[in-house]
């Protein structure tokens, strides 16, 4: 969730490529609406722009969602840049397993 940006596009397309279900959410949703959308979608991971940190922290503190991975596009242990660097290192070490993924037309 966030403004249109390179990290948002990469997160969206890479999840589609990996056969994950992607639920784009409007960054203008009120906190309660966003929380309800996360609950109904049964999301396990949530990528967001750090600009919305206060709203996200409120949802996290409520503990009502099934989100296990809160992924900020900026700073943080699971930040976009850190995940991108980890992917680069895997490729440099010869791990190209992602290339074996085939699209599933049934999903």
């Amino acid at each position: 969730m966030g403004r249109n940006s390179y990290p948002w596009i990469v997160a969206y397309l890479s999840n589609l490529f990996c056969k994950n279900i992607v639920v784009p959410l409007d960054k203008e949703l009120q906190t309660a609406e966003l929380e309800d959308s996360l609950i109904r979608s049964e999301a396990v991971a949530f990528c967001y722009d750090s600009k919305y940190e206060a709203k996200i922290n409120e949802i996290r503190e409520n503990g009502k969602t099934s989100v296990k991975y809160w992924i900020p596009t900026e700073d943080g242990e699971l930040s976009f840049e850190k995940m991108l660097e980890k992917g680069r290192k895997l490729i440099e070490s010869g791990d190209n397993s992602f290339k074996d993924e085939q699209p599933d037309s049934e999903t």
Side-chain angles (χ1 to χ4, degrees), residues 29-59:
L29 288 174
Q30 297 299 314
T31 304
E33 293 173 292
L34 177 58
E35 183 176 48
D36 186 54
S37 295
L38 289 170
I39 292 167
R40 286 185 290 117
S41 68
E42 299 178 4
V44 176
F46 184 66
C47 299
Y48 62 94
D49 189 310
S50 297
K51 175 181 177 182
Y52 305 99
E53 193 80 38
K55 186 183 288 192
I56 302 309
N57 285 340
E58 184 178 337
I59 293 170

Side-chain angles (χ1 to χ4, degrees), residues 6-92:
Y6 178 72
W8 189 93
I9 292 167
V10 171
Y12 180 80
L13 293 176
S14 61
N15 275 285
L16 287 178
F17 180 75
C18 292
K19 303 178 189 174
N20 292 322
I21 296 171
V22 178
V23 182
L25 297 169
D26 186 345
K27 64 184 184 299
E28 302 301 325
L29 288 174
Q30 297 299 314
T31 304
E33 293 173 292
L34 177 58
E35 183 176 48
D36 186 54
S37 295
L38 289 170
I39 292 167
R40 286 185 290 117
S41 68
E42 299 178 4
V44 176
F46 184 66
C47 299
Y48 62 94
D49 189 310
S50 297
K51 175 181 177 182
Y52 305 99
E53 193 80 38
K55 186 183 288 192
I56 302 309
N57 285 340
E58 184 178 337
I59 293 170
R60 289 178 77 168
E61 289 171 12
N62 288 342
K64 296 177 185 176
T65 73
S66 56
V67 177
K68 294 180 184 176
Y69 305 102
W70 300 89
I71 307 167
T73 54
E74 298 90 25
D75 308 322
E77 188 176 324
L78 292 176
S79 72
F80 174 79
E81 288 299 325
K82 288 183 181 177
M83 293 178 80
L84 196 60
E85 184 58 32
K86 183 177 179 179
R88 284 186 184 119
K89 287 179 181 177
L90 286 170
I91 291 170
E92 288 171 3

